[in-house]
Structures are given as C-alpha cells and as structure tokens.
C-alpha cells in the first residue's frame, strides 16, 4: 500500500526543446524527475504519469479552432506525444484531452486508457490509498499548476518541486503567478 504518489505531468517530447510546444529548458527537469521516481519506488510509494494526448484536430489548436491558442502538439501516435526518451517510466500513464472538443490542463482529467469510461487518475490514487502527492513535469504555468491545484482541492496534501518543472511563460511572469496561486491554495512549493 502506497502512502504517497509522484505525479509526473506531461514530460513529453513536444514540451521539450525542438518540440512543437517547447517549454524553455523543459529537458532540464530530467535529473530531478528521475531521482524522485527512484526515490518513490525505493520507498514503496507509487509513481504515475500523465500524457497530453490530442487528436489531430483538437480544440486547443489555433489552426483548427478560433478558441485554440496552441500550435498542434502531443498528437496521438506521433513522436511528440511520447515521453522524453530518458524518463524512467515505472507506473501507469493517464491520458488526457483525447476528445476533440475537450481540453484538460489537469492530470485529473486523465484516464488509464484514452477512453472516458476507463479508470481516472483520482480513482486510481484512492484505490492505492494515496494520502499525499508530489507534482513535477511540464509546464509549471499550465498543466502542473492545474494538476496540483486539483490534487490539493481533492484533499491530497500537495507539493510541487520547482527544479522538476519549467514554465512556458507566454507572459514573462507567468511562473511567478503560478507559484503564488499554488501557495495561496495551500500547495507546498519548494
Ligand atoms: C500543456 C499547453 C497545452 C501542458 C498542455 O502540459 O502544460 N500546455 N497543452
Ligand atoms: Zn495540450
């Protein structure tokens, strides 16, 4: 039985340098993330992963939809949707935003299989009797923030490890604002 879960958010090729929606220095979270993965596994805790997993014409893509703001990224079946190659994967992956008309920044919108009646991330954490979570991955100001806020709201005391995340910073201080919002919600940011 695990007490804690590490949630590795969207550490995928498209969010790393040369990817379709590259997060500056996204690849540089690797050592922190892998160290945490090993630490959690060695302690008998669990690690779960999320994947942004979009169909080709997803609503978040500016070229397909007026409300879309992103270049096409993490398209199902492409290399961009795969995990960063050196990431240690030792746990289940929850897929999110796989329906054309729905986006989800939060990993809690994720399912084990990319179909909506497959187990959700929350159901899995409850089943594993997880009592606290640590969140790392990409990007701090979008999916990491949203996942950590949801986790805290769902009653899991939540920690974000800053060296294990990087921000997109569409606006220059988005990272600072994300950290502030997390702390205000009671998330530990360190
Ligand atoms: C993300 C923008 C669009 C993320 C996903 O993983 O932070 N950001 N889709
Ligand atoms: Zn996306």
């Amino acid at each position: 039985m695990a007490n804690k879960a590490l949630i590795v958010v969207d550490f995928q090729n498209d969010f790393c340098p040369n990817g379709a929606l590259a997060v500056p220095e996204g690849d540089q979270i690797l050592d922190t993330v892998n160290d945490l993965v090993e630490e959690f596994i060695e302690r008998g805790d669990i690690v779960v992963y999320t994947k942004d997993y979009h169909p080709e014409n997803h609503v978040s893509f500016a070229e397909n939809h007026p409300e879309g703001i992103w270049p096409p990224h993490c398209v199902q079946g492409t290399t961009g949707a795969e995990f960063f190659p050196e990431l240690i994967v030792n746990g289940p992956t929850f897929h999110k935003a796989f329906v054309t008309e729905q986006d989800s920044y939060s990993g809690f919108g994720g399912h084990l299989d990319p179909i909506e009646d497959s187990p959700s991330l929350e159901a899995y954490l409850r089943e594993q009797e997880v009592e606290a979570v640590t969140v790392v991955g990409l990007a701090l100001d979008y999916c990491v923030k949203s996942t950590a806020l949801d986790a805290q709201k769902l009653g899991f005391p939540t920690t974000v490890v800053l060296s294990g995340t990087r921000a997109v910073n569409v606006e220059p201080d988005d990272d600072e604002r994300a950290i502030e919002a997390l702390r205000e919600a009671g998330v530990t940011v360190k």
Side-chain angles (χ1 to χ4, degrees), residues 15 21 52 54 58 60-61 70 73-74 96-97 103 105 143:
F15 295 124
L21 207 174
D52 212 29
H54 300 317
H58 190 249
S60 72
F61 300 168
W70 304 111
H73 62 278
C74 298
K96 63 184 174 64
D103 202 9
Y105 288 145
C143 291

